[in-house]
């Protein structure tokens, strides 16, 4: 059973985007090795100890079981390289893309967002630091910052839904900055079975509700599993049937047929699986925007906004064109958004 959310909301416009992907690359085979036990500082040593105990506790609570992939068996078209950040912390990457998105905002004055929403699945490797709190302090936003996590690539879509709902219910709120960042360090693994390999990186999006020329959110759906028992962390799966259902529902709400989209932006997961989902949803696979899918790996919570930013830097949109953006979490979550370009 699943619970889907698609509340009535005033449509928002994407005002600016930014992304950061580190230049350093690692081969996925190297990531299968046991991570080095040497910590670079006393604080990092404490962090690793605390998180390692947490991981061991979860393994005791949920004994290892065979991975239950709800997707049918496919050849693992996995990333050949994975982006790896060597120096910047998670919050430093988030701060960089947040500042870049604000700099790209089409306004002559320095802009302060009314609301900040931070998305992430990996953890800040400083136990005393909050990424959302840091951005709130640096940017001086008027609203208390929010954080959304642990639903992987679906986190961004939920943040977009929350932003739209908040701006629709509060006349004083005009802009929201959504920031997603991931950095995977020991003792956490980058592996997600045959689905993908997790990468480091960050992305940001500034959205506003004023009528303007640009990409508007026409329809948005977020779906998460409804279950009373925790899903074992060893069970990484993407439920293709639910993803397809969410895509079809989002298209129906937008009043668009699958063939109407100019660009289809999937997550950087197993490429065969991504193509299967598009085909089952009757989306034109030849319009799937998936440049070099093996070059950086899956950016998890930052994946969708990073993919969208990269696409928007390469196209000159025309009035009435559409983008379909979809993603999925690794415990059955799914999300989809339809964007429409409205010119002046």
């Amino acid at each position: 059973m699943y619970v889907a959310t698609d509340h009535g909301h005033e449509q928002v416009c994407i005002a600016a985007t930014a992304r950061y992907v580190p230049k350093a690359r690692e081969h996925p085979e190297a990531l299968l090795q046991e991570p080095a036990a040497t910590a670079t500082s006393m604080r990092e040593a404490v962090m690793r100890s605390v998180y390692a105990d947490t991981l061991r506790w979860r393994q005791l609570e949920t004994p290892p079981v065979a991975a239950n992939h709800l997707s049918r068996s496919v050849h693992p078209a996995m990333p050949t390289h994975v982006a790896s950040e060597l120096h910047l912390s998670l919050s430093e990457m988030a701060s960089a893309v947040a500042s870049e998105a604000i700099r790209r905002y089409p306004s002559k004055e320095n802009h302060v967002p009314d609301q900040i929403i931070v998305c992430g699945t990996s953890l800040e490797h400083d136990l005393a630091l909050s990424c959302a709190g840091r951005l709130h302090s640096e940017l001086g936003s008027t609203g208390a910052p929010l954080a959304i996590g642990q639903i992987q690539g679906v986190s961004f879509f939920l943040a977009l839904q929350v932003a739209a709902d908040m701006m629709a219910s509060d006349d004083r709120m005009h802009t929201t900055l959504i920031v997603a960042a991931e950095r995977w360090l020991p003792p956490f693994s980058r592996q997600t079975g045959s689905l993908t390999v997790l990468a480091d990186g960050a992305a940001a999006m500034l959205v506003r509700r004023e009528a303007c020329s640009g990409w508007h959110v026409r329809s948005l759906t977020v779906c998460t599993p409804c279950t009373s028992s925790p899903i074992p962390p060893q069970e990484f799966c993407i439920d293709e049937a639910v993803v397809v259902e969410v895509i079809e529902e989002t298209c129906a709400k937008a009043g668009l047929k699958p063939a109407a989209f100019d660009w289809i932006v999937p997550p950087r997961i197993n490429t065969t699986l991504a193509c299967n989902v598009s085909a089952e949803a009757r989306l034109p696979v030849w319009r799937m925007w998936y440049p070099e899918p093996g070059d950086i790996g899956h950016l998890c919570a930052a994946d969708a906004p990073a993919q969208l930013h990269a696409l928007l830097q390469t196209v000159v949109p025309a009035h009435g064109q559409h983008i379909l953006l979809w993603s999925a979490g690794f415990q059955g979550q799914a999300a989809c958004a339809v964007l429409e370009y409205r010119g002046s």
Side-chain angles (χ1 to χ4, degrees):
M1 180 177 179
Y2 288 78
V3 173
T5 62
D6 185 30
H7 310 295
H9 61 275
E10 183 175 344
Q11 293 185 359
V12 298
C13 176
I14 298 172
T17 61
R19 86 166 190 170
Y20 168 76
V21 178
K23 295 181 179 179
R25 299 289 187 270
E26 294 187 31
H27 291 284
E29 292 78 8
L31 301 175
L32 293 173
Q33 301 175 2
E34 189 70 20
T38 303
T40 58
S41 67
M42 180 60 70
R43 175 171 286 183
E44 184 179 347
V46 173
M47 178 279 301
R48 290 193 184 188
S49 176
V50 171
Y51 291 153
D53 284 343
T54 300
L55 292 175
R56 281 194 290 269
W57 172 78
R58 289 185 66 189
Q59 290 169 356
L60 290 174
E61 289 292 310
T62 55
V65 296
N68 178 23
H69 292 262
L70 300 184
S71 309
R72 62 175 175 271
S73 179
V74 296
H75 183 271
M78 300 289 281
T80 56
H81 298 84
V82 178
S84 177
E85 177 54 48
L86 303 179
H87 305 292
L88 298 179
S89 68
L90 184 149
S91 62
E92 287 172 334
M93 291 190 295
S95 178
V97 293
S99 298
E100 177 65 14
I102 291 175
R103 187 188 68 80
R104 289 172 171 265
Y105 183 71
S107 173
K108 296 180 180 179
E109 300 178 359
N110 291 332
H111 183 74
V112 176
D114 298 311
Q115 181 67 53
I116 296 174
I117 304 178
V118 173
C119 305
T121 306
S122 60
L123 299 178
E124 180 73 57
H125 277 57
D126 183 337
L127 295 173
L129 180 63
S130 161
C131 180
R134 171 175 177 167
L135 294 181
H136 176 65
S137 175
E138 291 180 348
L139 301 177
S141 60
T142 55
L146 305 176
I148 296 175
Q150 304 313 312
I151 51 176
Q152 298 90 46
V154 173
S155 299
F156 163 76
F157 295 82
L158 182 56
L160 189 58
Q161 178 71 72
V162 170
D165 289 343
M166 292 180 71
M167 288 191 286
S169 61
D170 188 346
D171 292 337
R172 298 167 298 175
M173 188 174 296
H174 299 281
T175 58
T176 299
L177 179 67
I178 301 173
V179 183
E182 304 281 16
R183 190 185 181 198
W184 301 91
L185 292 175
F188 296 98
S189 172
R190 295 175 182 264
Q191 298 293 322
T192 58
S194 63
L195 297 177
T196 190
V197 183
L198 301 176
D200 300 337
M205 176 183 294
L206 188 66
V207 297
R208 62 182 181 182
R209 67 174 181 179
E210 292 88 349
C212 59
S213 174
W215 290 99
H216 289 249
V217 179
R218 180 159 172 176
S219 182
L220 172 65
T221 307
V222 176
C223 181
T224 57
C226 180
T227 175
S228 59
S229 58
I231 297 177
Q234 296 84 3
E235 290 195 26
F236 296 115
C237 67
I238 288 179
D239 193 327
E240 289 185 47
V242 171
V243 176
V244 171
E245 181 180 342
V246 166
I247 291 174
E248 292 175 344
E249 180 179 344
T250 309
C251 293
K253 291 173 182 175
L256 296 171
K257 295 183 178 180
F261 295 98
D262 300 277
W263 297 279
I264 297 159
V265 184
R268 287 178 178 266
I269 57 172
N270 180 310
T271 54
T272 306
L273 176 57
C275 290
N276 286 343
V277 168
S278 292
E280 291 174 14
R282 295 177 291 113
L283 297 169
V285 178
W286 58 91
R287 294 181 186 170
M288 191 167 74
W289 193 81
Y290 214 166
E292 300 182 34
D295 62 344
I296 64 172
H298 182 58
L299 296 178
C300 208
D303 194 72
Q307 285 277 80
L308 181 61
H309 171 80
L311 170 62
L312 297 185
Q313 306 315 298
T314 66
V315 303
V316 179
H319 182 79
Q321 288 188 312
H322 297 93
I323 296 174
L324 185 143
L325 190 71
W326 68 268
S327 191
F330 302 141
Q331 285 86 34
Q333 308 95 333
C336 181
V338 170
L339 307 180
E340 179 180 86
Y341 188 80
R342 298 176 187 173
S344 57

